[in-house]
Amino acid sequence: MTYFADLTHAYSLFDHDTVRYEWGTLDYRPRYERLSVGWLDGSQPFDTGPVPDGFADALLDIVGNPAVNETRGLHGCEFCPSDTSLIADPRSDGESWLAFREIRVPARPGVMFAAPALIWHYVSAHAYRPPAEFVEAVQRYDAGWATEPSPWIPPDGERAVWGRTARNVMLRCVRCGQKFELHYTPDEPGRRALSLATQQLREQCPDHAKEWEFWDKIR
């Protein structure tokens, strides 16, 4: 996990914030300052102690409400044994992990607390005590900050709508090893994105086309 000291403006993982909605994602360059909280590291001490009743539950309610800056990689808890370091979302069936997204909590006009979703685990399992300002912000949290129109969301955000937004991907040919840039629209009527990308790869790479001709012949 990347370490940022609490209540510093050190957050630097992404230039943009990407918020996930039911319809897709909204990517924008924040006009608010991001104040770091809960970016703990095994080599750094952190404050411990009691937190108000219900605080951990309130914090868990914020996780994914909405989800911010989801990634494909997972970070384990550095304070847990290695075989139990991947922390599941307790509200799920154990297949959804906390350590691939972040949360945002409005602090004051123009300032957001930026924290990893693992902060809930740090509080509930390792007695981490976040700064009082953050605790108060969580207790008055309103998920409506991400509902447009909003003073937190700039109007020039880039929207990616599930099933309708064109995408570019890089796909490697298994025969020649070269990478090709392919373009497709997810959920295009009657076609799967994977089949569309594969078709483009066959058209661009003669060696890959030969492989498919071989499979076509033995079917």
Side-chain angles (χ1 to χ4, degrees):
M1 177 67 71
T2 301
Y3 173 75
F4 302 127
D6 281 349
L7 299 183
T8 66
H9 295 87
Y11 178 91
S12 59
L13 293 181
F14 300 98
D15 291 334
H16 290 67
D17 275 351
T18 302
V19 181
R20 176 169 57 80
Y21 298 84
E22 292 183 357
W23 49 260
T25 59
L26 177 62
D27 182 83
Y28 58 90
R29 185 178 293 276
R31 294 180 180 175
Y32 46 78
E33 296 182 62
R34 292 176 290 190
L35 206 58
S36 300
V37 171
W39 296 92
L40 308 186
D41 183 88
S43 66
Q44 301 290 335
F46 58 87
D47 290 340
T48 60
V51 294
D53 292 342
F55 173 72
D57 289 339
L59 196 55
L60 186 60
D61 286 342
I62 296 175
V63 174
N65 186 31
V68 179
N69 290 350
E70 292 183 324
T71 64
R72 292 184 178 181
L74 294 174
H75 294 281
C77 173
E78 296 189 12
F79 309 105
C80 286
S82 59
D83 59 341
T84 60
S85 64
L86 287 180
I87 309 302
D89 187 329
R91 301 165 298 183
S92 73
D93 57 4
E95 297 298 322
S96 179
W97 308 100
L98 291 180
F100 72 99
R101 52 190 166 182
E102 302 173 13
I103 64 173
R104 294 290 181 268
V105 180
R108 52 186 179 272
V111 181
M112 275 273 196
F113 289 115
L118 270 178
I119 191 172
W120 169 81
H121 172 74
Y122 296 150
V123 169
S124 59
H126 301 294
Y128 166 58
R129 182 173 62 188
E133 299 97 314
F134 178 76
V135 173
E136 294 172 2
V138 166
Q139 292 176 317
R140 64 173 185 267
Y141 179 75
D142 178 7
W145 72 264
T147 302
E148 298 180 279
S150 166
W152 300 100
I153 307 295
D156 58 352
E158 180 179 341
R159 289 164 175 75
V161 180
W162 304 133
R164 291 197 289 115
T165 302
R167 299 180 183 177
N168 286 349
V169 297
M170 297 297 294
L171 195 63
R172 185 186 300 275
C173 174
V174 295
R175 284 188 62 88
C176 70
Q178 295 185 68
K179 282 188 175 181
F180 294 86
E181 185 173 11
L182 310 175
H183 179 86
Y184 67 88
T185 300
D187 300 331
E188 198 165 308
R191 303 295 301 277
R192 293 180 56 201
L194 180 60
S195 67
L196 288 168
T198 301
Q199 176 183 325
Q200 291 181 57
L201 186 57
R202 294 173 65 181
E203 293 171 352
Q204 294 186 42
C205 179
D207 286 338
H208 197 83
K210 291 176 184 176
E211 178 188 4
W212 279 96
E213 288 171 4
F214 168 76
W215 286 109
D216 289 340
K217 289 178 181 178
I218 65 173
R219 284 176 182 171

